[in-house]
Amino acid sequence: MPSGGITFHGVCKTFSGRGKTIEALRDMSLSCPSGSFTAIIGPSGCGKSTAMRIALGLEDADKGAVLIEDREPQDATRAGLTGVAFQDAALLPWRSVRQNVEVPLEVLRKNIRDFAPDVQHLIELVGLKGYENALPGELSGGMRQRVAIARALVTRPRVLFMDEPFGALDQILRRQMNLELQRIWQESQATAFLVTHGIDEAVFLADRIAVMSANPGRLSVVIDVPFERPRKPELFSDPAFHALCDKVAEVLHGGQ
């Protein structure tokens, strides 16, 4: 298997319950090179989030393997090599922005003082300078997601996982956050793995798009994204951008 990044090799996962058996993933193989940005897209129930949960060590594969920077998922998590941001920012409401960003350090039993410059840098990187002592209830939805991304990066992870991090935001704010995420990711130099339902979001952010199909959940095709970085807002209105979105949509709806 390739060195570094994220590697799925023949991953299978089935869930059973209430008299039903759901084949969430069938023989999924995918390589995400170190420092790359991969978006995974597909219909609901195609196994996108299951694949990510297996990569994070939150689920076990029935068959096959996942390596994160050449380590087993649980080992990578314990070593602080992975960071994760979900659709729900899940901030602790009684803790300030700074204290929420510090949570993974506490979980890994790191010395908070040693990471104080990193915490401040990340708060500034996500555009929240001046809000260090604000509580989540005092922040907008977009600002809370910025805190979640800073929290995901605080352990200096080699791999950043994101599951619909902007899914609850309106279209205008979502595009603004796409621009911000591109900037943050490029500075972090982490390998990024984004689960999304947004075709335009996937095309704008990713180096390559893994398109999934359902029943059973399996990888249909991987599409390379040719646009140079950094990608600017004008790309959203570029005919080539829309042509690639149409191509992804065609594959997504079974019209290869």
Side-chain angles (χ1 to χ4, degrees), residues 78-92:
R78 283 192 291 267
L81 295 180
T82 57
V84 58
F86 294 104
Q87 180 172 340
D88 183 347
L91 304 182
L92 300 175

Side-chain angles (χ1 to χ4, degrees), residues 31-111:
S31 178
C32 308
S34 290
S36 66
F37 197 125
T38 300
I40 184 166
I41 191 168
S44 296
C46 72
K48 303 185 300 296
S49 294
T50 298
M52 194 184 88
R53 288 178 62 82
I54 292 173
L56 285 166
L58 301 175
E59 299 274 1
D60 292 324
D62 297 333
K63 184 179 177 182
V66 180
L67 290 181
I68 307 297
E69 291 290 307
D70 301 322
R71 298 196 190 196
E72 298 291 332
Q74 292 88 347
D75 291 341
T77 298
R78 283 192 291 267
L81 295 180
T82 57
V84 58
F86 294 104
Q87 180 172 340
D88 183 347
L91 304 182
L92 300 175
W94 61 90
R95 299 188 61 151
S96 68
V97 166
R98 181 186 300 279
Q99 291 168 335
N100 267 288
V101 173
E102 292 171 345
V103 167
L105 300 174
E106 296 176 16
V107 171
L108 294 173
R109 298 184 178 180
K110 302 287 187 180
N111 187 324

